[in-house]
Amino acid sequence: MPQTASLWKRLDRARHYFSKPTLAWLVCVVSVVIISLTEPLVPALLKPLLDQGFQKGNLELWAIPLALMGLFAVRGLCAFIGQVALARVANRGLLGLRLEMFQRLLDAHPALFRNQTSSALGNTLVYEVQVGANLLVNALLSLSRDTLTLLALIGYLLFLNWKLSLIVAFLFPAIAWLMKVITKRLYGLTKSNQSATDALAYVVEENALAFREVRLYGAQKAQLERFANLGKLMDRIAMKSTVAGSALTPLTQLMAAAALSAVISVALYQSDQNGTTVGEFVAFVTAMLMLVAPIKHLSEVASPLTRGLAAIERGLDLIENTRIEGTGSFLKERASGHIRFESVVVEFDPDSPPALQHIDLEVQPGESIALVGASGAGKTTLVNLLPRFIDHSSGNIFLDGVNLREWNLATLRSQFAMVSQQVVVLNDTLANNVALGLPMDLNRVQQCLQDANLGSYVAGMGEGIHTMVGHNASQLSGGQRQRLAIARAFYKDAPILILDEATSALDNESERAVQEAMVRLQKGRTTLLIAHRLSTIEHADRIVVMANGKIIESGRHRELLELGGTYAALFKLGSLDKAA
């Protein structure tokens, strides 16, 4: 198997999660040892039964049946206890692994979410690690149990007849070689299947989010074909995995049958030479046949062990290789809102022009700044630098005279509230969506909803502020979502407000309600406003016009009109999104 050392290193890393319930592990190990070591007792009982019972007739009638019942009672009890203990180990380990993965997602650098789809991350965290943990723990249990059983049976065979045992010994190098070849094949197929699964899940996610566009433009056939192609790819990979995994068992059994045939021939020869009793021969053959089951299990463990390791490996990769956000140590309860950009450059791709080029901008506490310009001018990139959703490539940004990178990240983000065109609403109650991470104050929630012009709507709902908003806020219209985001900003009461095209997709009535709420929200706060509608920005303290990642004009509404430049031309056209 490629990267075997790496995978076993990962397995050792996973031990951190699956070794915590030490008592459960101890119970499980003791149960496995008892079951494995008692396996040879079954053929061992046959020898006295045949030699002393049937041939000589000097064995008590109840002795062997009672011994068998006691043996299987002990084995059955150990199997039950071991299985329960193993489930506890697997479930506790899975919980710990998931918690650490989700914590890493919460602290991950925003670049992770630009490079990976949400469906792939969800698939890894929810589905793959669960399947991987169950496969891995069960495979390791089978590996230890069947290895011990194999050793116990081989020991008994050597005790009975070491010459016949040498024939059996030839099985193991051949089986080991087979397992190595097939496991290598399965590992590659498992990695391919994971990639195909991520792609398939992403197609489903895209079509669920864009169902209106898909139906409006009649794209169902193309999307179905896209889904079918990925489904066929997964089918081919699955069939290859099945062929590889299924080939090992019959080949192993064929080798065992060849060894058994040789044993029978040699045993018959030894019997002619008065070297083997009937009881000894039957006990030996029975023990040898019992070898087939653990050998079969060990040959089959390659597939679940490989798939389990590959799945756990993805989860551990997320924990070990995901870059977390850097943070500083500067703490301040509430900023004044003084912001300064000095020669700030943002480059996403070295081969493409910078998204922002040498931005110099100062915003005074309580000042409202409107950013205007064409789509792609750099407005959203600029405001996303402030809460450090994007890190600048060069230059400096200061808040209250302190470089952003020196601020404690949680403290820095507590200074900002944001209302954007695409409002994210969690599938929770209205109250929890308004408070969102802050201590709950129901009276304050009610007041914030009222200030956001959403009070009358909430009052008409059956459960008021405790109403569930539904998946993707299905209970709310676009305007109501915007006002909910404004209520959230009121509740946070941050000194700096970012409004990113908060009214661009609303009808006139909804826009009026949102505008009234935003005017109230901006009072006493430093505000950065991105908008395309003139009515939204003409009362700003200052208007900054951007194009191609640069600031090309800056001033008050009337000053820019008198300047007769880009802003004046756009004002005459009645639109702020057509800058060249």
Side-chain angles (χ1 to χ4, degrees):
M1 185 170 65
Q3 302 178 2
T4 303
S6 173
L7 283 175
W8 283 104
K9 183 179 177 182
R10 298 278 185 183
L11 183 58
D12 185 61
R13 173 73 175 88
R15 185 170 55 84
H16 166 72
Y17 303 97
F18 294 97
S19 62
K20 292 296 175 64
T22 50
L23 179 61
W25 263 121
L26 181 62
V27 170
C28 189
V29 168
V30 170
S31 300
V32 167
V33 170
I34 292 173
I35 292 172
S36 302
L37 295 183
T38 55
E39 192 82 10
L41 292 181
V42 176
L45 290 172
L46 291 176
K47 187 176 184 299
L49 177 65
L50 293 172
D51 290 341
Q52 304 298 323
F54 285 103
Q55 287 189 329
K56 297 181 180 180
N58 59 358
L59 191 68
E60 295 289 342
L61 293 176
W62 51 266
I64 298 298
L66 189 63
L68 281 172
M69 288 184 64
L71 174 63
F72 280 97
V74 170
R75 287 169 58 84
L77 181 62
C78 288
F80 170 75
I81 294 173
Q83 197 65 36
V84 172
L86 182 69
R88 185 172 184 81
V89 168
N91 292 335
R92 285 291 179 88
L94 179 61
L95 176 61
L97 179 59
R98 275 181 171 159
L99 285 174
E100 192 162 335
M101 288 173 65
F102 193 66
Q103 181 66 58
R104 184 51 57 97
L105 278 184
L106 294 176
D107 296 335
H109 193 277
L112 173 70
F113 306 101
R114 293 194 290 269
N115 298 332
Q116 290 201 42
T117 65
S118 58
S119 58
L121 292 170
N123 183 54
T124 298
L125 198 149
V126 176
Y127 174 72
E128 284 197 10
V129 292
Q130 178 171 347
V131 173
N134 290 333
L135 286 172
L136 190 59
V137 172
N138 282 288
L140 290 175
L141 175 71
S142 176
L143 190 64
S144 57
R145 182 188 60 221
D146 291 312
T147 300
L148 284 173
T149 300
L150 205 59
L151 292 173
L153 287 170
I154 289 172
Y156 180 66
L157 288 174
L158 288 168
F159 170 76
L160 279 178
N161 193 320
W162 67 269
K163 293 178 182 178
L164 292 179
S165 300
L166 290 178
I167 299 172
V168 180
F170 285 110
L171 272 176
F172 299 106
I175 291 173
W177 177 79
L178 264 179
M179 288 183 69
K180 180 180 178 181
V181 171
I182 291 179
T183 303
K184 180 179 179 180
R185 172 73 169 157
L186 285 171
Y187 178 79
L189 290 170
T190 300
K191 301 297 283 186
S192 299
N193 186 64
Q194 287 175 335
S195 298
T197 302
D198 286 347
L200 192 70
Y202 186 57
V203 171
V204 174
E205 179 188 8
E206 278 189 324
N207 279 270
L209 293 174
F211 73 94
R212 294 181 182 87
E213 289 79 5
V214 169
R215 297 179 188 185
L216 184 65
Y217 291 96
Q220 292 98 322
K221 184 177 179 181
Q223 292 305 308
L224 182 61
E225 184 177 349
R226 183 183 172 200
F227 184 88
N229 288 336
L230 286 168
K232 289 173 184 175
L233 174 62
M234 289 185 67
D235 178 62
R236 288 194 298 272
I237 294 171
M239 286 306 300
K240 289 177 181 179
S241 297
T242 301
V243 170
S246 301
L248 193 54
T249 299
L251 290 172
T252 303
Q253 290 175 336
L254 184 62
M255 292 177 186
L260 178 60
S261 301
V263 164
I264 291 172
S265 300
V266 174
L268 288 173
Y269 171 77
Q270 288 182 343
S271 178
D272 289 340
Q273 305 298 317
N274 296 320
T276 306
T277 66
V278 172
E280 184 179 325
F281 173 71
V282 171
F284 189 93
V285 171
T286 303
M288 184 180 171
L289 289 174
M290 291 175 70
L291 280 175
V292 173
I295 289 173
K296 178 176 179 290
H297 295 155
L298 287 172
S299 68
E300 290 173 344
V301 83
S303 177
L305 183 61
T306 302
R307 286 187 286 130
L309 280 171
I312 291 294
E313 184 182 25
R314 294 194 84 183
L316 294 176
D317 274 341
L318 181 67
I319 294 170
E320 294 170 359
N321 299 332
T322 298
R323 183 162 59 103
I324 62 172
E325 295 181 292
T327 185
S329 58
F330 181 76
L331 300 171
K332 188 174 186 178
E333 185 174 348
R334 189 176 182 86
S336 68
H338 181 211
I339 300 167
R340 189 168 81 254
F341 293 81
E342 290 184 353
S343 300
V344 172
V345 176
V346 174
E347 288 183 310
F348 293 119
D349 183 354
D351 299 325
S352 302
L356 291 178
Q357 304 183 51
H358 302 290
I359 297 296
D360 290 293
L361 178 65
E362 187 165 3
V363 184
Q364 298 300 327
E367 187 179 14
S368 63
I369 301 291
L371 302 172
V372 301
S375 178
K379 307 181 298 295
T380 300
T381 299
L382 189 146
V383 296
N384 276 320
L385 287 169
L386 293 172
R388 290 192 59 190
F389 294 144
I390 297 172
D391 280 330
H392 51 288
S393 307
S394 63
N396 293 291
I397 306 173
F398 299 91
L399 174 59
D400 286 6
V402 180
N403 195 301
L404 288 192
R405 290 194 170 107
E406 295 178 17
W407 278 77
N408 173 272
L409 201 54
T411 302
L412 173 68
R413 287 174 179 164
S414 70
Q415 312 300 327
F416 295 90
M418 180 179 284
V419 181
S420 62
Q421 180 181 353
Q422 296 180 334
V423 178
V424 175
V425 182
L426 305 181
N427 187 9
D428 206 335
T429 64
L430 281 166
N432 286 336
N433 269 288
V434 171
L436 195 63
L438 298 174
M440 178 63 70
D441 182 337
L442 296 180
N443 292 329
R444 193 161 157 235
V445 167
Q446 292 274 19
Q447 184 59 52
C448 291
L449 288 167
Q450 196 71 38
D451 291 341
N453 286 347
L454 204 56
S456 58
Y457 169 76
V458 174
M461 302 184 79
E463 297 181 59
I465 61 174
H466 301 294
T467 302
M468 295 291 292
V469 298
H471 172 65
N472 201 25
S474 57
Q475 299 270 17
L476 305 176
S477 68
Q480 288 163 348
R481 291 185 199 187
Q482 296 289 348
R483 279 175 275 168
L484 177 59
I486 291 171
R488 186 184 288 166
F490 269 120
Y491 194 90
K492 187 174 185 181
D493 190 28
I496 305 170
L497 181 63
I498 297 173
L499 302 175
D500 188 356
E501 302 187 35
T503 64
S504 63
L506 302 180
D507 57 72
N508 290 333
E509 184 178 351
S510 296
E511 183 186 2
R512 237 184 340 264
V514 171
Q515 284 280 20
E516 290 172 3
M518 286 200 305
V519 168
R520 285 194 291 271
L521 181 59
Q522 291 178 54
K523 288 181 180 177
R525 292 180 171 86
T526 302
T527 304
L528 286 92
L529 168 67
I530 299 174
H532 289 154
R533 300 188 184 186
L534 292 167
S535 58
T536 308
I537 58 92
E538 58 185 343
H539 298 297
D541 295 326
R542 190 159 29 122
I543 298 168
V544 173
V545 184
M546 298 186 67
N548 300 319
K550 299 177 182 178
I551 294 176
I552 58 174
E553 290 179 359
S554 177
R556 298 180 67 85
H557 171 66
R558 188 160 299 279
E559 292 171 351
L560 292 177
L561 289 179
E562 292 173 356
L563 184 65
T566 301
Y567 180 81
L570 294 174
F571 187 81
K572 290 178 182 178
L573 292 173
S575 174
L576 297 173
D577 61 357
K578 297 179 181 178

